[in-house]
Amino acid sequence: MIRSLLVRAFLLGTMALLLEACATVSGGSIPPSAFEFHDIVPEQGPEAGGWKVAQVNILLSRISRRRPLQAWCDVEVGVPRITGKRPISTETAQRRSAESANGAARMVLLGNETVSAMACKQFRDEMRLLLREHIGGVRVTKFMTPGLEPKSFPDD
């Protein structure tokens, strides 16, 4: 009888520890449509040139007892219209931006950062690294270009 109670207590304690370890929740996926690119600098002839920009406020949110996070991050993605002899379509820029943002969000949300400003900086830095693998010359920063109306994800 006592042995049975000890085994049950041990199992309940183990389950409580596992539930605490699994109490971190995050989810969602940023769609390509969240990145609405605007031409800022037009192309000039056949050489590399032109520039387009998208601005998005992205909510990074992690539900956790030990490492909660809720941060609205302002993200500006700047992409050349043409790199070398290869044009970068808006669809490609949107798709690659979304893929990179989703990868960066996973990295940040799996980490330990709980300070909003630091989480946003890590997010932008990681997104830049991921996006540069596919589009040369890309820039990921805080909002810098005036006059654009940023989108939000998720929508307000």
Side-chain angles (χ1 to χ4, degrees):
M1 176 80 167
I2 293 178
R3 187 168 197 246
S4 175
L5 288 173
L6 288 174
V7 169
R8 283 185 182 174
F10 175 77
L11 289 175
L12 286 172
T14 303
M15 287 175 54
L17 287 174
L18 288 173
L19 286 173
E20 176 63 28
C22 296
T24 298
V25 178
S26 62
S29 181
I30 302 165
S33 61
F35 295 90
E36 186 176 287
F37 281 90
H38 302 272
D39 291 331
I40 301 301
V41 178
E43 296 174 33
Q44 299 289 327
E47 298 298 317
W51 192 253
K52 51 187 159 192
V53 169
Q55 292 180 339
V56 188
N57 280 306
I58 297 174
L59 177 63
L60 297 179
S61 186
R62 177 177 54 224
I63 300 169
S64 171
R65 289 184 184 175
R66 296 183 186 178
R67 305 175 293 125
L69 176 68
Q70 186 162 15
W72 278 102
C73 300
D74 61 320
V75 178
E76 180 172 302
V77 180
V79 176
R81 292 179 46 84
I82 298 176
T83 59
K85 298 191 184 229
R86 186 178 74 135
I88 306 297
S89 71
T90 296
E91 293 77 19
T92 296
Q94 288 177 308
R95 182 173 44 84
R96 293 298 188 183
S97 294
E99 292 168 355
S100 298
N102 287 317
R106 279 190 293 279
M107 295 292 290
V108 170
L109 294 174
L110 288 173
N112 292 319
E113 189 57 62
T114 58
V115 177
S116 297
M118 293 303 296
C120 288
K121 181 180 178 339
Q122 287 177 358
F123 175 76
R124 285 188 292 267
D125 290 346
E126 185 65 29
M127 186 176 170
R128 180 184 317 108
L129 289 173
L130 293 171
L131 195 50
R132 281 188 177 163
E133 292 176 12
H134 303 287
I135 301 175
V138 71
R139 184 180 72 200
V140 179
T141 63
K142 292 180 168 188
F143 291 169
M144 293 177 56
T145 305
L148 299 179
E149 188 169 327
K151 293 191 79 172
S152 291
F153 179 81
D155 291 333
D156 291 335

